[in-house]
Amino acid sequence: MHVSLSVPSTDRPPPAPGAYRLVRTPVVDARDIAVDASQRAVVDHPGGPLLVLAGPGTGKTTTLVAAVARRVRAGADPERLLVLTFSRKAAVELRDRLTAELGARAPQATTFHSFAYALVRAHQDRELFAEPLRLLSGPEQDLFVRELLAGHQELERSGRGPRWPAELRACLTTRGFADELRAVLARGRELGLDPETLGEFARRTGRQDWSVAAEFLAEYLDVTQAQGVIDYTELLREAVALAERPEHAGAIAARYDAVFVDEYQDTDPAQVALLRALAGDGRDLTVFGDPDQSIYAFRGADLGGILGFPDTFRTRAGEPAPVLALRVARRSGAGLLAATRTLAARMPLGRLPAEAVRRHRSPEPTREGGTVQVLTYPTAGAELANIADLLRRARLEDGLPWGEMAVLVRAGRHTIPAVRRALTSAGVPLEVDGDDLPLRQEPAVAPLLTALRVVAEAGATGPEGAGAALDAETATRLLTSPLGGMDAADLRRLGRALREEERAAGGGPPPPSDALIAR
């Protein structure tokens, strides 16, 4: 309700002087949320499978929320609507927006993995598993893999274990090898490879390392199943197998009247298979994605998922699923948009309708501006120093708030720690998305672990081995961490002071300052 002054009409008596009349707030149609015609076409989609091509800033989340809201307001049961996305952060944002729009009638919005876990738990064999399956965290899975590899090393010494290639045996207990092996197993499972298939492929190609990896995969699956735990990759495969079993398939497929998916370009084959089990018979499935920004191949994402959507999810009449494109770009200025579209035009999307691709790649900008610069540097250190300089100049000279700047990296786990050290040393405050930073690389944890490792290695090798444990790079990292509390200027002053002492002591030219600092 809202209160308004009212002009008296001729067919009813005027209100008393100074009185107000209560007027019902007009009901806003969910379609009014969508502010342009291309978004409204998605909201008004009559049903069945639909692929929506949505570039950055074209309002895909707004459109998704509007489409869901329209169904609920038209009488759909919110519990029979499912909204899927790829990260916990995105799921929280979607839930918040749906709740703001629909209140207590908001449907379920969750990640693929959360949905798969709930599905597996709901249909878990109580006779086979006395306790509910427990989902392995990333660090726990690392521990499983490393312990199994340590066992392989012991068995190899006795001549009873798998025969890893000679060039890999020395690496079995290193963290880097465990990370690589874990990635190989994850990609293989995402592609649907079981140990037997991987082993047969290894025999055909003559790859002994893959053959042993297939044996390791079989052992890993046996151990995790015996202990009642499951990792993220295996979780999706288990959910797909469950949804495809004849005794469960009908009930699972009938559970939801409509499914919505955000960031569909990041799906892997297992997630596509799960969607086929949920809504693969021409029922309502609306997915939003941008094939020009599919960057998660290293996590198993397959661009073929979005390119093949029209044929994979056909209508009930057997026709390819329709494809629509959002047409208004609200985030990027015209200059920036033109640059990115020029690059995107070189990437083939031949499996999608040509007209839809053309409309997707020629959005209408709502404002001018935006520039693109390409800078190259001889070393990674020079690159990071220049990034810090650009950020500081934007803050000091242009008055741009720190919160309106961003640094994007290609591979978070391997790149973010170096970026963080460089920016922190330059006095640039920053915040890292928790999803992109493992616990062992958190700024409060990493220096402590490094210091403990150095002490342990020095203690194991004696004083003569301390120099190998604490090299120049490690010393610099410790001194510029919260443990050392120094910045780049402090290190330079320390290095100069040490070199002056060396000169004063005689004995020839002094070593480099970083070597002296480590010593």
Side-chain angles (χ1 to χ4, degrees):
M1 286 294 186
H2 70 277
V3 179
S4 68
L5 290 173
S6 175
V7 177
S9 64
T10 57
D11 58 351
R12 65 171 179 263
Y20 293 91
R21 182 168 64 87
L22 295 178
V23 180
R24 183 179 299 277
T25 303
V27 177
V28 178
D29 192 291
R31 290 175 297 178
D32 293 337
I33 303 173
V35 296
D36 65 66
S38 63
Q39 289 175 303
R40 186 167 292 113
V42 175
V43 175
D44 290 342
H45 178 61
L50 173 67
L51 170 60
V52 182
L53 302 181
T58 53
K60 65 178 176 56
T61 304
T62 297
T63 310
L64 188 155
V65 171
V68 173
R70 185 186 177 216
R71 287 181 177 272
V72 173
R73 288 173 176 147
D77 183 354
E79 294 187 358
R80 296 185 62 80
L81 302 180
L82 176 63
V83 182
L84 295 171
T85 188
F86 286 84
S87 69
R88 291 188 297 270
K89 184 177 180 180
V92 169
E93 292 175 354
L94 265 176
R95 282 196 292 268
D96 289 345
R97 293 185 66 166
L98 287 167
T99 302
E101 188 63 36
L102 296 168
R105 303 179 66 206
Q108 178 186 11
T110 185
T111 65
F112 271 92
H113 290 98
S114 293
F115 174 78
Y117 185 58
L119 185 66
V120 171
R121 284 283 300 270
H123 295 82
Q124 184 176 330
D125 190 335
R126 305 300 178 186
E127 296 181 0
L128 183 61
F129 298 101
E131 298 292 333
L133 276 175
R134 185 173 64 83
L135 188 59
L136 279 177
S137 65
E140 286 178 313
Q141 189 182 10
D142 282 340
L143 181 61
F144 261 81
V145 172
R146 295 181 70 184
E147 287 181 343
L148 289 176
L149 285 174
H152 278 204
Q153 194 174 51
E154 292 295 326
L155 290 172
E156 280 208 351
R157 292 194 185 106
S158 63
R160 295 181 291 113
R163 301 298 298 173
W164 286 95
E167 63 271 17
L168 295 179
R169 289 173 192 165
C171 308
L172 292 185
T173 57
T174 64
R175 184 182 298 276
F177 183 78
D179 288 344
E180 290 291 334
L181 180 59
R182 176 185 170 191
V184 168
L185 300 184
R187 298 297 84 79
R189 296 301 277 168
E190 285 162 356
L191 293 173
L193 301 179
D194 55 28
E196 293 76 18
T197 307
L198 181 58
E200 177 60 30
F201 185 70
R203 284 188 289 274
R204 291 204 311 268
T205 57
R207 292 288 299 264
Q208 184 185 357
D209 52 349
W210 289 355
S211 178
V212 184
E215 296 180 42
F216 183 90
L217 174 58
E219 180 183 359
Y220 172 81
L221 294 176
D222 289 342
V223 171
T224 52
Q225 183 177 11
Q227 297 192 18
V229 296
I230 192 169
D231 63 44
Y232 282 92
T233 304
E234 199 61 30
L235 174 64
L236 280 171
R237 285 184 53 82
E238 185 67 23
V240 172
L242 177 67
E244 291 177 346
R245 289 176 192 164
E247 64 268 27
H248 299 307
I252 292 175
R255 173 67 180 81
Y256 297 99
D257 294 330
V259 180
F260 298 82
V261 182
D262 197 12
E263 305 293 357
Y264 188 76
Q265 75 275 358
D266 295 329
T267 51
D268 60 38
Q271 291 161 342
V272 172
L274 182 58
L275 288 174
R276 290 185 64 181
L278 291 174
D281 56 355
R283 287 181 295 127
D284 292 357
L285 173 64
T286 305
V287 304
F288 296 75
D290 181 2
D292 294 333
Q293 58 167 313
S294 180
I295 60 174
Y296 288 106
F298 66 96
R299 292 182 181 175
D302 182 6
L303 187 60
I306 189 170
L307 298 181
F309 181 89
D311 289 324
T312 303
F313 295 91
R314 289 178 171 265
T315 65
R316 292 188 185 275
E319 299 293 329
V323 182
L324 299 177
L326 301 186
R327 298 282 294 126
V328 180
R330 300 170 180 82
R331 182 181 305 162
S332 303
L336 179 58
L337 196 62
T340 57
R341 295 300 88 188
T342 299
L343 291 174
R346 302 179 181 181
M347 296 184 288
L349 299 179
R351 296 168 64 185
L352 295 176
E355 178 60 21
V357 172
R358 185 193 65 78
R359 292 171 64 83
H360 164 63
R361 286 180 167 172
S362 57
E364 303 166 3
T366 57
R367 58 189 178 90
E368 297 298 320
T371 59
V372 177
Q373 286 183 300
V374 178
L375 306 174
T376 59
Y377 299 93
T379 65
E383 179 185 6
L384 292 175
N386 187 74
I387 291 174
D389 180 67
L390 291 173
L391 296 173
R392 287 172 60 87
R393 288 179 181 276
R395 180 72 181 96
L396 299 174
E397 297 177 4
D398 303 332
L400 190 66
W402 294 119
E404 294 185 12
M405 307 180 200
V407 179
L408 307 182
V409 301
R410 179 66 181 88
R413 178 170 296 187
H414 302 290
T415 309
I416 284 178
V419 174
R420 186 167 207 158
R421 288 195 301 270
L423 297 188
T424 301
S425 298
V428 176
L430 72 159
E431 178 181 342
V432 179
D433 188 344
D435 290 342
D436 290 330
L437 200 64
L439 177 62
R440 66 177 182 268
Q441 294 177 1
E442 284 286 350
V445 177
L448 180 60
L449 294 179
T450 301
L452 292 173
R453 177 179 58 80
V454 169
V455 172
E457 292 179 2
T461 57
E464 66 280 0
L470 186 63
D471 56 21
E473 181 183 355
T474 304
T476 300
R477 190 161 66 245
L478 284 173
L479 289 173
T480 55
S481 73
L483 290 179
M486 300 178 71
D487 58 21
D490 295 330
L491 283 178
R492 286 193 294 270
R493 286 194 293 270
L494 176 59
R496 285 195 297 267
L498 292 174
R499 285 176 63 85
E500 289 173 3
E501 285 190 4
E502 287 288 317
R503 289 192 186 95
S513 59
D514 57 353
L516 291 173
I517 289 173
R519 187 187 306 170

